[in-house]
Amino acid sequence: MKVIVIGAGLGGLTLAHGLRRAGIDVAVYERDTPQGRPQGVSLHLDERGRSALRACLPPAHFAMVEATTGGPREQTLTLSDVDGELAITGVQPSLARPGRQVHRPLLRAVLLTDLDDVARFGTEFTRFEQRADGTVRAWFADGSTDTADVLVGADGIGSAVRRRYLPDARVVDTGRRMIMGATPLRAVLGTGLPGLIGHSPATARIRGTTVVVAVLRFSEAPLSARRRWLPALRRTAAEIEDYVMWALPVTREPSMEMPPALRTIIGEAWPDFTVALRIGSIPPPEPWRAGPVTLLGDAIHLAPGFGGNLAMQDARHLCEALAEAHHGRLGLLDAIGQYEDTMRRNGFTKVGA
């Protein structure tokens, strides 16, 4: 069996590792550079994503991820301005599933490690053709082609595979926007905020502006973990220090009338990690007949804040189904149909579920 994966995001790369460990030939095509595009600096890794990584990654890769997570996130704090200072005015069980914060660029770098022989960057997918013999041929912008038993669209919200395979499944702009960034922890220690919130994510709603903040203190310094677990990881990917992640969910220009601690966090942010994101959704399409083309993650269902976990979960389920077909225990289309039924149940959920 051979599988073509379009897209080298978290889901596509997790799938590639899993397929290779299952003895299945895989090729990953990505139109961007290995550095990828800005998608936010942090990811709340819950058990869906963690179990997928444990199932699909080589042991050393998974150990590297585990070593560089933040502390446990089991509650969500509410912050308010009390006499010009931030104070905790509410504590509740985590609105997200319990988990830990990870540095998203570092996680992607771990996933890219040891995939040089299957990942092809700067190669834009343009179209596909389902052939009479049951295989799929993919075309690319440079005129090249590739043929496989399965084509997987793991190419995100703007999926070129989805547009051609399920043209009625379209992205709807919710009108919501998010500005996200990260600030070195050393620059804001004097504000008192890191000690106030610990490992917990916190939401401050002050004078019409909402700011979400969370501290990532690496369980082990990434450079140290790299030496111990994954020396092949690019050194520059591991050159990251503890930081504060922040996000401004906005539908209008945010007010900067906020306590000094929040102004410092935003004002001292790393410019390269600050990104503005548009929030979209994909209404659940009617179920489709299984074929040799399928989709995972944001290419078919969107869950802002949880999309990475769902993409990696999809990758695990698809890998397990294809392995069943590869070993002759299930027909290929039956395996893909089984995966898609599971993906529809798990993927089209309310945000935060």
Side-chain angles (χ1 to χ4, degrees):
M1 183 187 295
K2 179 178 178 180
V3 179
I4 293 173
V5 179
I6 306 299
L10 302 184
L13 295 174
T14 299
L15 177 62
H17 277 289
L19 292 175
R20 199 157 72 165
R21 294 189 75 197
I24 297 173
D25 189 15
V26 59
V28 180
Y29 291 92
E30 169 59 59
R31 68 179 183 178
D32 292 329
T33 66
Q35 288 70 40
R37 64 190 65 182
Q39 290 184 285
V41 67
S42 289
L43 173 72
H44 175 87
L45 183 69
D46 63 30
E47 188 55 32
R48 294 170 294 187
R50 182 175 178 271
S51 62
L53 293 173
R54 183 173 56 239
C56 294
L57 296 189
H61 289 62
F62 182 66
M64 180 69 193
V65 175
E66 289 276 274
T68 53
T69 60
R73 308 175 82 190
E74 298 174 344
Q75 60 186 14
T76 298
L77 308 177
T78 300
L79 304 180
S80 300
D81 185 355
V82 178
D83 298 327
E85 299 292 334
L86 287 173
I88 297 173
T89 54
V91 180
Q92 57 186 322
S94 180
L95 297 178
R97 298 188 181 200
R100 294 172 182 264
Q101 193 175 354
V102 297
H103 184 55
R104 188 180 185 119
L106 176 59
L107 174 59
R108 187 167 180 271
V110 170
L111 291 172
L112 280 169
T113 302
D114 295 336
L115 286 184
D116 292 346
D117 57 330
V118 302
R120 298 157 174 81
F121 290 92
T123 307
E124 182 179 1
F125 166 84
T126 56
R127 63 187 176 95
F128 69 85
E129 173 191 52
Q130 298 186 48
R131 308 175 76 198
D133 62 0
T135 60
V136 184
R137 175 173 290 172
W139 272 264
F140 302 94
D142 61 4
S144 63
T145 65
D146 198 358
T147 302
D149 301 284
V150 183
L151 174 70
V152 180
D155 45 344
I157 185 172
S159 174
V161 178
R162 184 193 66 244
R163 288 199 303 270
R164 288 155 181 80
Y165 187 50
L166 300 175
D168 292 333
R170 298 183 180 179
V171 177
V172 176
D173 188 346
T174 65
R176 296 166 55 206
R177 302 292 183 265
M178 182 84 72
I179 303 171
M180 301 184 70
T183 305
L185 183 60
R186 55 179 163 75
V188 298
L189 286 174
T191 67
L193 179 67
L196 179 68
I197 66 175
H199 297 299
S200 300
T203 300
R205 295 183 177 90
I206 299 169
R207 290 185 282 279
T209 297
T210 297
V211 185
V212 178
V213 293
V215 177
L216 177 50
R217 295 179 179 88
F218 292 104
S219 300
E220 181 178 350
L223 280 174
S224 171
R226 172 185 177 271
R227 288 192 294 269
R228 192 154 64 100
W229 295 111
L230 204 61
L233 174 72
R234 287 186 298 108
R235 179 182 173 87
T236 54
E239 292 174 340
I240 183 70
E241 59 183 295
D242 295 349
Y243 62 86
V244 179
M245 180 280 295
W246 55 267
L248 286 165
V250 296
T251 54
R252 57 182 177 80
E253 188 72 21
S255 168
M256 294 307 289
E257 294 182 16
M258 56 181 67
L262 295 180
R263 289 203 305 270
T264 298
I265 288 170
I266 295 172
E268 296 293 326
W270 284 306
D272 292 346
F273 283 146
T274 302
V275 59
L277 302 174
R278 300 170 62 184
I279 308 300
S281 67
I282 300 176
E286 290 295 320
W288 58 92
R289 179 177 297 179
V293 179
T294 192
L295 300 151
L296 65 77
D298 283 355
I300 186 59
H301 51 73
L302 292 170
F306 300 89
N309 287 287
L310 293 182
M312 292 183 285
Q313 178 179 255
D314 285 349
R316 176 191 179 182
H317 291 156
L318 180 55
C319 180
E320 290 171 347
L322 293 179
E324 289 290 293
H326 179 60
H327 294 294
R329 294 188 288 266
L330 201 61
L332 179 59
L333 297 188
D334 289 336
I336 294 173
Q338 177 177 291
Y339 154 71
E340 289 176 342
D341 286 343
T342 301
M343 178 267 290
R344 279 187 280 264
R345 287 195 304 271
N346 294 330
F348 292 102
T349 58
K350 291 187 291 186
V351 173

